Amino acid sequence: MLAAAHLLRLVTAPLARHIHMSRPASAKVAVVLSGCGVYDGSEVHEASAVLVHLSRGGADVAIFAPDIDQMHVINHTKGEPSEEKRNVLVESARIARGKIAALSTLDVGGHDAVILPGGFGAAKNLCTFAVDGAQCKVNPDVEKAIKSFHDAKKPIGLCCIAPVLAAKLIPGCSVTVGHDSEDGGRWPYAGTAGAVGEMGATHVRRDVNEVHVDTDNKIVTTPAFMCETKLHEIYDGVGKMVKEVLDMV
């Protein structure tokens, strides 16, 4: 009996080692933030949803933000500008729990995908869309990151207003920012869809709990808080975006 048990261990041990070694490594995903707070930085719920779903998906996450001043600072209790300056990297560190690096140090070779949550910071700090619309300019480090991932044929995830970055930088791509009409106030930023077209991209109408996948360019987008809706619907839509990104890795 003991000899049989020993023989079984000898036979199964190499197989067990082979199975363990054949497991795929965790996807290494870069998350790019734009500050902390919906009106002048990253939308906190969207950023948190991205991080939760990446964690659940087993991804190895590194967080980055440009080391620049915010366009301005908004008092979130009043929705009005305040007379102070804040740094995008420093503010983003609040969401990252201090574990963050300057976007200028992001190496596309060390990551399998990149995701950019929304919030007005994406349109104010990562680019000038909030002021200049379709004629906006993109921060050089942001432009380098997005174009580098695209050139390397690695997936890019964006939600809320952030898809305008892909529309500006990747000619002919297709994205969603939700609906192209306000539908009684449910989609207050519906005009963004028109700007996407002006930048040479194609807008695809999607609901808040849906995603659009541009398979040719490996771009995954979801509307998130472009829609006035319940938080769990934002969370679910972001989750679908993250899953599609991870499935492309």
Side-chain angles (χ1 to χ4, degrees):
M1 182 68 73
L2 289 174
H6 178 67
L7 180 60
L8 181 63
R9 284 197 296 272
L10 288 175
V11 171
T12 59
L15 177 60
R17 286 197 297 271
H18 174 73
I19 292 172
H20 174 73
M21 291 173 67
S22 67
R23 290 176 182 172
S26 297
K28 298 183 184 299
V29 181
V31 175
V32 178
L33 301 180
S34 60
C36 182
V38 58
Y39 298 130
D40 57 14
S42 293
E43 211 296 320
V44 176
H45 297 295
E46 291 178 11
S48 296
V50 166
L51 296 173
V52 169
H53 286 293
L54 285 172
S55 176
R56 181 166 287 145
D60 181 5
V61 178
I63 305 176
F64 300 86
D67 187 4
I68 57 174
D69 286 340
Q70 295 182 182
M71 184 187 110
H72 60 188
V73 177
I74 298 294
N75 180 332
H76 279 57
T77 64
K78 299 179 179 180
E80 300 173 353
S82 63
E83 297 298 323
E84 59 179 302
K85 289 186 178 181
R86 296 191 184 185
N87 177 278
V88 175
L89 177 63
V90 172
E91 292 301 298
S92 298
R94 296 175 181 271
I95 298 173
R97 297 174 60 84
K99 297 178 180 179
I100 194 168
L103 183 57
S104 59
T105 68
L106 173 57
D107 176 18
V108 65
H111 298 85
D112 301 307
V114 64
I115 295 180
L116 295 89
F120 278 98
K124 293 179 177 180
N125 303 327
L126 303 189
C127 70
T128 64
F129 183 83
V131 175
D132 300 322
Q135 286 70 49
C136 66
K137 295 180 180 179
V138 180
N139 171 272
D141 289 332
V142 176
E143 180 173 357
K144 179 183 176 182
I146 291 176
K147 286 186 173 180
S148 294
F149 275 90
H150 182 252
D151 290 344
K153 301 187 185 305
K154 295 182 177 182
I156 302 168
L158 311 103
C159 64
C160 193
I161 192 68
V164 300
L165 293 164
K168 185 67 178 181
L169 297 173
I170 303 174
C173 72
S174 58
V175 301
T176 188
V177 290
H179 287 201
D180 53 8
S181 60
E182 294 191 9
D183 293 344
R186 179 172 167 81
W187 297 92
Y189 312 107
T192 305
V196 166
E198 289 181 47
M199 289 187 282
T202 299
H203 181 260
V204 180
R205 182 185 175 108
R206 288 287 184 268
D207 286 325
V208 67
N209 60 349
E210 297 179 320
V211 299
H212 171 65
V213 181
D214 179 342
T215 53
D216 291 340
N217 291 295
K218 289 194 170 183
I219 299 171
V220 187
T221 50
T222 191
F225 272 114
M226 297 297 278
C227 180
E228 288 290 336
T229 190
K230 295 179 179 179
L231 180 57
H232 74 273
E233 293 187 315
I234 305 298
Y235 180 87
D236 292 346
V238 169
K240 290 179 181 179
M241 177 195 70
V242 170
K243 183 180 185 302
E244 291 286 351
V245 168
L246 293 179
D247 285 348
M248 286 184 176
V249 171

